[in-house]
Amino acid sequence: MKPSVIDRLAAHAGTYAAAYRASAMPGTPRLSVAVVVCMDTRLSPYGILGLREGDAHVIRNAGGLVTSDIIRSLAASQHLLGTRSVMIVQHTRCGLMNTTDEEFRERLRAHAGADPDFDLGAFADLEASVRRAVELVCESPFLVHRHDVRGFAFDVETGELREVG
Amino acid sequence: MKPSVIDRLAAHAGTYAAAYRASAMPGTPRLSVAVVVCMDTRLSPYGILGLREGDAHVIRNAGGLVTSDIIRSLAASQHLLGTRSVMIVQHTRCGLMNTTDEEFRERLRAHAGADPDFDLGAFADLEASVRRAVELVCESPFLVHRHDVRGFAFDVETGELREVG
């Protein structure tokens, strides 16, 4: 039988382990930064930002939206593991720009026969979405460090990263 | 003034853009897989699994826990962008194993003067946590594909990845 995709990914891990040096891997991020990035397949925060293992916390969900779960993750990052900066990266042509919360809810309802307890978080205006994400981090009383929180838009057609001020 | 860490990361993006080829970047993941991985700084799913841009959706939070936001992201991944497999990777020495939900809640309450609307999701048993994450994906009626969902534990001391059956 042909190996499944998960079998192939797991098999790669053996090669990785052979070259792995635990001593080079601090448990707390060297750069004291957490990056929040859309899960999109075209975005690698390692490639775009030049991150290496040990540098940063990497938090990703659909959209790079700042949900309650992202605040949980950032709270753990800052309170338990000492990060002080937050960098948010959303991008052009995001899947969340192609539909609406209402359409997505109807699709999930039709599939599951029940209403989801979440909204997709669809958005039409990328810059507004990035600004909103920055605001939500800055407004959370549960975070320790909110002075260095910046938002960016990655252009999936040119590969360029632009700060949203 | 010395450039901040976010300035340095954003500056790297210029180098990346110069070599970027949009044509090599499908919007839907080539391998039709979504990986859910802890945000930990020592874990790079690109390194461990050999992923490249265009291969997979990469979803990450504190712990690699399957929260409502992860189900939202997986629902977007499957309904909107056609992924069919889910691979979950948690790891040894996770920050969520060093404290309890009660301790963390007390810490946030002391900092913010208010109760958070989330729990940390602390856990003591890594294998049980991976199994629970797999179960939560398999139990969600909002996902389309739940037949190929597998959980793994990454050992941050050896670099080895082990399936949790």
Side-chain angles (χ1 to χ4, degrees):
Chain A
M1 207 173 87
K2 205 179 139 196
S4 75
V5 59
I6 295 180
D7 287 331
R8 282 188 285 144
L9 297 178
H12 186 276
T15 317
Y16 186 75
Y20 186 84
R21 292 188 309 118
S23 59
M25 300 290 171
T28 54
R30 276 184 214 108
L31 303 181
S32 302
V33 65
V35 299
V36 177
V37 182
C38 181
M39 72 180 184
D40 191 279
T41 187
R42 292 163 289 197
L43 273 67
S44 161
Y46 299 87
I48 298 169
L49 306 175
L51 293 174
R52 292 167 307 155
E53 288 93 329
D55 282 345
H57 284 141
V58 182
I59 302 169
R60 304 184 66 173
N61 67 7
L65 306 184
V66 175
T67 59
S68 173
D69 194 49
I70 300 300
I71 296 294
R72 177 186 72 87
S73 297
L74 289 172
S77 178
Q78 296 195 347
H79 284 273
L80 304 179
L81 292 155
T83 66
R84 293 188 300 271
S85 301
V86 180
M87 182 175 196
I88 296 167
V89 182
Q90 298 183 9
H91 65 96
T92 60
R93 304 203 166 205
C94 184
L96 271 56
M97 301 173 82
N98 293 332
T99 183
T100 64
D101 282 357
E102 293 66 31
E103 274 181 9
F104 192 70
R105 177 171 290 273
E106 186 44 52
R107 188 160 176 169
L108 264 55
R109 185 189 293 129
H111 174 74
D115 261 322
D117 60 348
F118 51 84
D119 275 319
L120 176 61
F123 59 90
D125 182 332
L126 174 59
E127 299 216 344
S129 178
V130 171
R131 280 195 204 96
R132 182 67 189 138
V134 169
E135 279 171 13
L136 286 167
V137 172
C138 291
E139 287 169 2
S140 174
F142 303 111
L143 302 180
V144 187
H145 303 287
R146 295 177 286 171
H147 63 286
D148 191 24
V149 181
R150 292 161 61 184
F152 294 79
F154 181 77
D155 185 322
V156 297
E157 287 172 286
T158 65
E160 284 168 0
L161 187 72
R162 183 171 47 79
E163 183 156 14
V164 178
Chain B
M1 207 174 88
K2 202 178 141 198
S4 75
V5 58
I6 293 180
D7 287 332
R8 282 189 283 142
L9 297 179
H12 186 276
T15 317
Y16 186 76
Y20 187 83
R21 291 188 310 118
S23 60
M25 301 289 172
T28 52
R30 272 184 218 109
L31 303 180
S32 302
V33 64
V35 298
V36 176
V37 182
C38 181
M39 71 179 185
D40 191 279
T41 187
R42 293 164 288 197
L43 272 66
S44 161
Y46 299 87
I48 297 169
L49 306 176
L51 292 174
R52 292 168 307 155
E53 288 92 329
D55 282 346
H57 284 142
V58 182
I59 303 169
R60 303 183 66 173
N61 67 6
L65 306 184
V66 175
T67 59
S68 173
D69 194 49
I70 300 299
I71 296 294
R72 176 186 71 88
S73 298
L74 289 173
S77 177
Q78 296 194 347
H79 285 273
L80 303 179
L81 292 154
T83 66
R84 292 188 300 269
S85 301
V86 180
M87 183 176 195
I88 297 167
V89 181
Q90 298 185 7
H91 66 95
T92 60
R93 303 202 167 207
C94 184
L96 271 55
M97 301 173 81
N98 293 332
T99 184
T100 64
D101 283 357
E102 294 68 29
E103 274 180 10
F104 192 71
R105 177 169 288 273
E106 185 46 51
R107 189 161 175 168
L108 265 53
R109 185 189 292 130
H111 173 74
D115 261 320
D117 61 347
F118 51 83
D119 275 319
L120 176 61
F123 59 90
D125 182 333
L126 174 58
E127 300 215 345
S129 178
V130 172
R131 279 195 205 97
R132 182 68 188 135
V134 169
E135 277 171 14
L136 285 166
V137 172
C138 290
E139 287 168 3
S140 174
F142 302 110
L143 303 180
V144 188
H145 301 289
R146 296 179 284 171
H147 63 285
D148 190 23
V149 181
R150 291 162 60 182
F152 294 80
F154 181 76
D155 185 322
V156 296
E157 289 172 287
T158 64
E160 284 168 1
L161 187 72
R162 184 171 47 79
E163 184 157 13
V164 177

